[in-house]
Amino acid sequence: MTGFFAKKGLLLLLFLLINSLCSAQDLYVKDSTKTKSLIDSLLIDKDLRNWSVRLFGDIKAHGFKLSNNEAALRYIPNNLFGVGVGLATRKLILDLTFNIKDKNTENTNRFDFRGGFIFNKSIFDFYFQIYDGFNVENSINNTTVFREDIKSIAGGIDYLYLFNAGEYNQTLLRSGLKDQKQNIFSFGIGGFLVYNQISADNTIVPQEFFPYFNEQARLTNLTNYGIGVLGGLVSLFKLPSNFYIGISAKAGIGLTIKNAETETLSYNPSNPMLYKLNGSVLFGYNWNRFYSNISLGAATNLSNIDFGNNAAFTLLSGKLALGYRIKSNKKSL
């Protein structure tokens, strides 16, 4: 019953956070006409000079690490690579990815959804991922085994308010619709919400490694709800010959509600602390109506699950995009 009310409380906090952020951006409207106008102004751009098409290849991985002072197990998805096509505007990037599977190996079934918006000085990043099937790597004898019964669900929202944003807008750079005119450096504060779960039909610890992991670490399910504060730095630098580079780093600390289950017991880890680290790099080049950029990102959520055990949920992503502006734009962007 306590866990039920705790979950409801976190959902309420999520609603209040989103509501307050929307209110801060004057997003409240009273009729359908204004709603349509708002959506049109935020997401739809009717000027084809502000549109581009793109081809890309990417790599995505949502993983998990279970460790103690003696050993570590890493749960890594298979078939990490994908290719796709997309449309980009000054306000939004929509990419459709086709995951590449190897018919000769066991594959991870996956659903990946990632996105973000920049409203004035406010940056929103969000994701939702479902993965079925993981390679289990260990630090003891470095062998790997594929477990199709291991499933992981992850979702979250990051919010950062920049105090000195200037012309910062990575969406424009990623879509090839803006040349970097000046160097930008800013810091901000905000918050985050996170949900993580890993589960399996049997313990996620292979039986041969039982001597290295106590009973409380032989998980069949671990669920983690968290909320916290976030701080970060963002920067964009203009380089010679139409090259540019963007770097961002965020760190946060929060509180979690955790539930752990094994084949023989269930417990709630007493340590409520959650530590969050995010980092990303964007390197790009614009030439007339063509553009190309490479983006790399990594994030991890660290927490202690008692009895000498630690858990970490990780997100890794990378993308190489090649794009073309649909129409030339002679005006300064």
Side-chain angles (χ1 to χ4, degrees):
M1 184 65 69
T2 302
F4 173 82
F5 285 108
K7 295 176 184 178
K8 292 295 185 181
L10 282 174
L11 291 175
L12 177 60
L13 286 173
L14 171 60
F15 173 80
L16 293 175
L17 177 61
I18 294 176
N19 182 67
S20 63
L21 295 178
C22 291
S23 299
Q25 297 300 322
D26 296 325
L27 298 182
Y28 179 74
V29 292
K30 296 182 179 180
D31 57 56
S32 60
T33 302
K34 291 184 178 180
T35 301
K36 182 179 182 300
S37 176
L38 172 68
I39 294 174
D40 187 75
S41 64
L42 286 178
L43 301 180
I44 301 174
D45 198 321
K46 298 178 181 179
D47 189 344
L48 288 180
R49 292 173 300 180
N50 297 330
W51 286 72
S52 71
V53 293
R54 46 201 270 126
L55 301 173
F56 63 87
D58 71 2
I59 177 173
K60 292 181 180 178
H62 162 59
F64 177 72
K65 179 181 178 181
L66 177 67
S67 63
N68 54 36
N69 292 331
E70 293 186 69
L73 295 173
R74 293 177 176 85
Y75 302 80
I76 302 171
N78 225 334
N79 51 290
L80 303 179
F81 299 95
V83 295
V85 296
L87 286 172
T89 75
R90 293 173 62 92
K91 303 173 182 179
L92 186 66
I93 297 176
L94 296 175
D95 287 340
L96 177 63
T97 305
F98 301 92
N99 194 237
I100 299 175
K101 293 187 177 181
D102 186 346
K103 295 181 180 179
N104 298 318
T105 63
E106 297 174 287
N107 291 288
T108 300
N109 295 316
R110 52 200 291 163
F111 172 81
D112 284 282
F113 177 75
R114 296 180 63 83
F117 297 97
I118 299 176
F119 296 143
N120 296 326
K121 296 183 178 182
S122 296
I123 301 177
F124 298 86
D125 293 301
F126 49 86
Y127 64 92
F128 182 71
Q129 298 175 304
I130 302 176
Y131 282 43
D132 280 303
F134 285 83
N135 288 315
V136 183
E137 298 181 353
N138 70 85
S139 63
I140 302 164
N141 57 22
N142 297 316
T143 58
T144 301
V145 61
F146 185 81
R147 289 275 303 274
E148 63 178 9
D149 65 309
I150 298 180
K151 178 179 181 178
S152 182
I153 302 175
I157 301 173
D158 289 354
Y159 168 70
L160 199 66
Y161 178 85
L162 300 180
F163 291 98
N164 182 29
E167 296 295 323
Y168 180 85
N169 195 323
Q170 282 204 20
T171 301
L172 286 179
L173 290 174
R174 290 174 188 269
S175 60
L177 297 171
K178 180 180 175 67
D179 295 324
Q180 187 59 26
K181 302 295 185 182
Q182 61 184 14
N183 296 334
I184 297 169
F185 183 84
S186 181
F187 68 96
I189 60 172
F192 68 88
L193 295 163
V194 65
Y195 170 83
N196 287 303
Q197 181 188 38
I198 187 167
S199 60
D201 295 339
N202 303 301
T203 173
I204 64 173
V205 178
Q207 189 170 7
E208 62 184 295
F209 302 125
F210 277 14
Y212 301 95
F213 292 89
N214 55 33
E215 184 178 2
Q216 292 80 5
R218 301 169 194 171
L219 302 167
T220 57
N221 183 82
L222 175 65
T223 305
N224 183 359
Y225 302 83
I227 185 171
V229 295
L230 192 68
L233 300 171
V234 299
S235 60
L236 286 172
F237 300 101
K238 179 182 179 182
L239 302 177
S241 303
N242 293 326
F243 286 95
Y244 62 85
I245 186 169
I247 302 172
S248 69
K250 295 182 287 187
I253 186 170
L255 301 176
T256 63
I257 297 173
K258 292 172 278 192
N259 175 256
E261 298 177 11
T262 72
E263 293 179 331
T264 58
L265 58 88
S266 176
Y267 68 96
N268 297 103
S270 60
N271 189 329
M273 302 306 298
L274 172 69
Y275 305 97
K276 183 178 180 67
L277 295 172
N278 289 32
S280 66
V281 176
L282 174 68
F283 179 75
Y285 173 73
N286 289 337
W287 179 68
N288 293 334
R289 290 163 67 175
F290 292 91
Y291 68 91
S292 176
N293 52 62
I294 299 173
S295 57
L296 301 172
T300 184
N301 301 324
L302 307 169
S303 63
N304 182 289
I305 55 174
D306 291 349
F307 306 100
N309 302 309
N310 296 296
F313 289 90
T314 59
L315 294 171
L316 300 173
S317 63
K319 178 176 288 188
L320 169 63
L322 303 173
Y324 178 76
R325 299 181 188 179
I326 294 177
K327 293 185 68 175
S328 63
N329 192 341
K330 296 180 181 181
K331 297 186 300 181
S332 174
L333 295 175

